[in-house]
């Protein structure tokens, strides 16, 4: 697993909080990696390329030093909102910038709306409503298995086999409470866990990707659009239950 960091969150009062840095150190001590998710989670589609690049550089300092002390390098970048550029030229220029700084783009093939369930869960915890909290957990686990099944089917349709998937999850109380059960579900479906570097050895990640535009979509769907897939091909992605959306507001 890689923890993609917004280093602005290390500075709740404008100064680096060493307790928050210690959380990142725990991640490294557990044998995991850190990645750059920009300093302040800016959107490449709403700020200039130059401003976005400055935010990437600003997001390196603490993470890079922690990794260096552990004999590791800061090598992965993930785009906020999975937004990679509104034009082909912006995308090319930014990817060139990342390469110059030694980054590999961290793709996502299994995307989801875990943050909506997490907001509903947080509200249930805040109101001390154990029944609703457990209902959110059950719904979330059912939803996540449906999401994984959907992207397995999409993988088979786009690449003609199941690939090494990359799963996006947010760091929140809901995932802290359910990560063991999520892992058991994935193992039951036949998965084992490998590093992102090993996953990217799958030839699928060399698939042609000519997508640029407003959507923040998975790499599977970028490849599909590049292949000319349209419309109903993308149908069937599991929806967040309406009651979860209401509870998350």
């Amino acid at each position: 697993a890689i923890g993609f960091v917004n280093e602005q969150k290390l500075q709740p009062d404008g100064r680096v909080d060493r307790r928050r840095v210690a959380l990142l150190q725990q991640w490294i001590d557990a044998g995991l990696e850190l990645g750059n998710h920009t300093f302040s989670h800016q959107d490449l589609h709403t700020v200039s390329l130059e401003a976005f690049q400055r935010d990437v550089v600003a997001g390196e300092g603490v993470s890079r030093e922690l990794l260096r002390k552990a004999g590791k390098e800061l090598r992965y970048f993930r785009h906020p909102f999975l937004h990679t550029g509104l034009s082909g030229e912006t995308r090319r220029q930014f990817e060139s910038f990342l390469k110059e700084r030694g980054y590999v783009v961290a793709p996502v093939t299994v995307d989801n709306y875990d943050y909506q369930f997490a907001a509903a869960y947080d509200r249930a915890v805040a109101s001390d409503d154990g029944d609703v909290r457990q209902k959110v957990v059950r719904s979330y686990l059912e939803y996540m298995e449906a999401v994984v099944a959907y992207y397995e089917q999409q993988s088979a349709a786009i690449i003609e086999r199941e690939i090494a998937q990359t799963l996006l999850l947010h760091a929140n109380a809901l995932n802290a409470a359910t990560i063991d059960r999520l892992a058991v579900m994935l193992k039951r479906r036949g998965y084992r866990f490998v590093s992102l570097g090993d996953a990217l050895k799958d030839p699928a990640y060399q698939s042609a990707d000519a997508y640029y535009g407003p959507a923040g979509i998975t790499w599977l769907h970028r490849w599909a659009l590049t292949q000319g897939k349209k419309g109903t091909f993308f149908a069937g992605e599991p929806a967040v239950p309406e009651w979860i959306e209401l509870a998350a507001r």
Side-chain angles (χ1 to χ4, degrees):
I2 302 173
F4 288 93
V5 181
N6 299 127
E7 290 201 5
Q8 185 181 55
K9 294 184 178 181
L10 300 175
Q11 306 177 23
D13 300 315
R15 294 179 297 177
V16 173
D17 183 336
R18 304 315 301 179
R19 294 171 299 177
R20 295 189 177 204
V21 174
L23 294 175
L24 300 186
Q25 186 64 55
Q26 287 181 13
W27 193 272
I28 294 172
D29 291 344
L32 304 174
E33 284 198 59
L34 301 177
N36 190 335
H37 198 42
T38 74
F39 179 76
S40 60
H41 208 266
Q42 289 189 358
D43 186 346
L44 180 56
H45 293 180
T46 61
V47 301
S48 70
L49 176 59
E50 293 74 17
F52 192 74
Q53 290 175 169
R54 288 195 296 270
D55 209 51
V56 172
V57 175
E60 296 177 346
V62 175
S63 301
R64 190 182 292 281
E65 181 62 15
L66 291 176
L67 288 165
R68 185 192 65 78
K69 290 179 179 178
K72 300 180 179 182
E73 296 180 358
L74 183 63
R75 54 181 178 155
Y76 291 112
F77 174 83
R78 174 158 290 155
H79 298 76
F81 311 104
L82 302 185
H83 286 173
T84 59
L86 289 172
S87 71
E89 183 59 26
T90 295
R91 178 178 164 177
R92 283 190 295 273
Q93 287 187 32
F94 183 61
E95 289 179 351
S96 177
F97 163 83
L98 290 176
K99 186 175 181 179
E100 290 174 359
R101 297 195 69 80
Y103 287 109
V104 173
V105 170
V108 173
T109 60
V110 181
D111 194 13
N112 58 85
Y113 292 92
D114 67 336
Y115 56 89
Q116 290 195 346
F117 288 86
Y121 181 85
D122 287 346
R123 287 180 177 272
V125 170
S127 62
D128 197 26
D129 192 328
D131 290 340
V132 172
R133 186 176 70 247
Q134 290 306 313
K135 184 180 178 183
V136 171
V137 167
R138 288 193 298 270
S139 181
Y140 177 57
L141 292 171
E142 291 171 0
Y143 165 80
M144 286 299 293
E145 182 152 18
V147 165
V148 171
Y150 169 76
Y151 282 109
E152 289 170 357
Q153 174 270 320
Q154 290 284 278
S155 168
I158 297 163
I159 307 297
E160 300 183 347
R161 61 180 174 82
E162 289 194 38
I163 68 169
Q165 302 275 14
T166 52
L167 169 65
L168 186 155
L169 294 174
H170 290 88
N172 51 49
L174 174 61
N175 278 325
T178 59
I179 191 67
D180 288 349
R181 282 171 281 184
L182 287 172
V184 168
M185 177 271 287
L186 291 168
K187 286 187 173 182
R188 175 167 47 78
R189 296 189 69 86
Y191 289 93
R192 61 187 178 89
F193 300 97
V194 300
S195 69
L196 179 57
D198 284 343
L200 294 181
K201 293 176 184 176
D202 188 318
Y205 289 95
Q206 302 303 314
S207 299
D209 174 12
Y211 176 78
Y212 59 85
I217 56 178
T218 73
W219 268 245
L220 276 167
H221 286 168
R222 292 164 190 268
W223 303 332
L225 289 169
T226 303
Q227 292 175 9
K229 302 287 196 299
K230 297 179 180 178
T232 57
F233 177 85
F234 302 99
E237 182 174 358
V240 176
E242 185 177 0
W243 73 271
I244 289 288
E245 293 183 340
L246 292 172
R249 293 176 183 171

